[in-house]
Amino acid sequence: MRRYHAEVVGNGQPVLFLPTGGFTGEAGRSLAEKLRGDFEVHLLDLPGFGRSEGVRQIVDAKQMADWVNDYVVTHRLGSVHVIGHSLGGAVALAFATHYPEQVKRLVLLDQGHKAFPRVPLKEYGIFGLLVPFLSGLSRLLGPRVVERIERKMVSDEPSQPISDERFQTFCTKTGLPERDEIRRALDAPAKLGQGGLNLLFGFYHLDAPKLMRSLQVPTLLLYGDFVGLDDKEARLTQSAILDLQRHELPITYIRMTGGHFVHWNPAFPIEQVRQFLLTEQASGL
């Protein structure tokens, strides 16, 4: 049995929250606290990040889906709602497309509408320059190469609190106010563990828009428009949304002013999310 780490908040229908890479499930704490009266929210660490055991093989969409399904089956949750942000949203999307019978409703936080960049500098920093090469190498030579890379990258040193300057820079770049919950998440990042790179490389090769076009599960997509933050990203976002809307998909779209971390936006429509999830219960489906 795989080792998972999750904090559980509230009572009611189960909801899984899957964070982005570099953050633990605690990144969804504020959402969980607001939903706890109606739902039992499972704040999961992703495989190979934080305290969840990594996947020791090359990862594709089906294996991402299997990882989530194993958690659901192991904990006897039955069908669940799933909320996922960024990398966690990609894992949630893979689960919803491969196990639609296990997912009641899906909430994607700025994920699924855009293809992942081929050189992900904004996402991974300087490491993004190496991702195409290392990802290809891992597929050619197998998991042992990834393990060797990880041994050089993984550190047992405790995380240091983020400096005021870096915190302010993060908030400025992402268009967020300086809030305590954001600082707490940045002060306690999810460390890369063994198997974490397999997930990152799997995400790199994932065709999220293609998975979106095969969705059968009712989905709420909340996306940042990047207007005023990044003109190029704003244009890419608008084009991607228009392309998705040309298809008849079970997706409700909510545009949010700002950037990628939509769930930390003070204008996040938590009541719309709650009602979206409660609609399934009221219908008795």
Side-chain angles (χ1 to χ4, degrees):
M1 184 179 71
R2 291 171 175 155
R3 184 173 64 85
Y4 297 84
H5 180 84
E7 300 289 337
V8 181
V9 177
N11 295 284
Q13 288 289 322
V15 175
L16 308 186
F17 175 83
L18 304 174
T20 188
F23 291 86
T24 69
E26 286 294 311
R29 172 69 65 173
S30 62
L31 298 184
E33 293 295 341
K34 292 169 184 173
L35 294 173
R36 67 181 303 155
D38 298 298
F39 302 99
E40 177 185 273
V41 184
H42 297 241
L43 301 171
L44 276 145
D45 289 2
L46 293 177
F49 288 90
R51 290 162 285 184
S52 284
E53 184 178 290
V55 180
R56 304 294 184 87
Q57 62 193 48
I58 295 172
V59 171
D60 59 19
K62 179 61 165 58
Q63 284 150 349
M64 291 181 189
D66 290 345
W67 183 84
V68 183
N69 190 59
D70 285 351
Y71 179 84
V72 171
V73 171
T74 299
H75 292 82
R76 301 180 181 179
L77 298 180
S79 56
V80 297
H81 301 297
V82 188
I83 302 174
H85 173 234
S86 194
L87 173 55
V91 176
L93 176 58
F95 178 50
T97 53
H98 285 282
Y99 292 93
E101 72 285 354
Q102 293 282 64
V103 182
K104 293 181 177 180
R105 297 211 155 198
L106 173 66
V107 178
L108 294 174
L109 306 175
D110 207 56
Q111 180 54 269
H113 51 303
K114 290 183 286 191
F116 197 62
R118 292 302 84 197
V119 182
L121 269 173
K122 289 182 182 178
E123 291 75 14
Y124 296 159
I126 194 67
F127 179 66
L129 291 172
L130 297 174
V131 166
F133 171 72
L134 295 178
S135 174
L137 198 63
S138 70
R139 292 197 162 205
L140 181 65
L141 301 178
R144 289 186 179 180
V145 171
V146 176
E147 290 174 8
R148 290 175 186 170
I149 297 169
E150 284 176 339
R151 280 198 291 269
K152 295 182 178 180
M153 295 179 65
V154 173
S155 171
D156 293 327
E157 294 294 322
S159 300
Q160 298 299 316
I162 190 170
S163 68
D164 291 343
E165 182 180 359
R166 287 184 60 204
F167 175 59
Q168 291 163 5
T169 298
F170 175 86
C171 291
T172 299
K173 285 185 175 180
T174 54
L176 295 169
E178 296 177 16
R179 299 168 64 184
D180 288 344
E181 66 173 314
I182 301 173
R183 180 140 205 168
R184 285 195 297 270
L186 293 171
D187 277 342
K191 286 190 172 184
L192 175 70
Q194 291 188 343
L197 282 182
N198 286 321
L199 179 62
L200 286 183
F201 294 157
F203 179 37
Y204 176 73
H205 289 283
L206 194 73
D207 189 341
K210 182 178 179 181
L211 290 182
M212 291 285 274
R213 293 191 293 271
S214 68
L215 269 175
Q216 303 173 38
V217 174
T219 299
L220 183 63
L221 170 59
L222 301 103
Y223 66 94
D225 63 11
F226 288 87
V227 172
L229 286 177
D230 186 324
D231 291 342
K232 180 180 178 181
E233 202 63 36
R235 290 192 298 271
L236 287 172
T237 298
Q238 183 181 34
S239 175
I241 292 295
L242 288 173
D243 184 64
L244 266 186
Q245 290 176 333
R246 293 188 185 101
H247 304 271
E248 293 185 5
L249 299 171
I251 300 174
T252 301
Y253 302 86
I254 297 181
R255 171 181 170 176
M256 300 208 48
T257 300
H260 184 53
F261 291 83
V262 293
H263 53 302
W264 286 340
N265 188 321
F268 185 80
I270 187 63
E271 288 308 316
Q272 280 185 263
V273 173
R274 186 197 311 277
Q275 291 307 315
F276 175 76
L277 299 178
L278 288 173
T279 298
E280 186 278 334
Q281 295 181 37
S283 68
L285 297 177

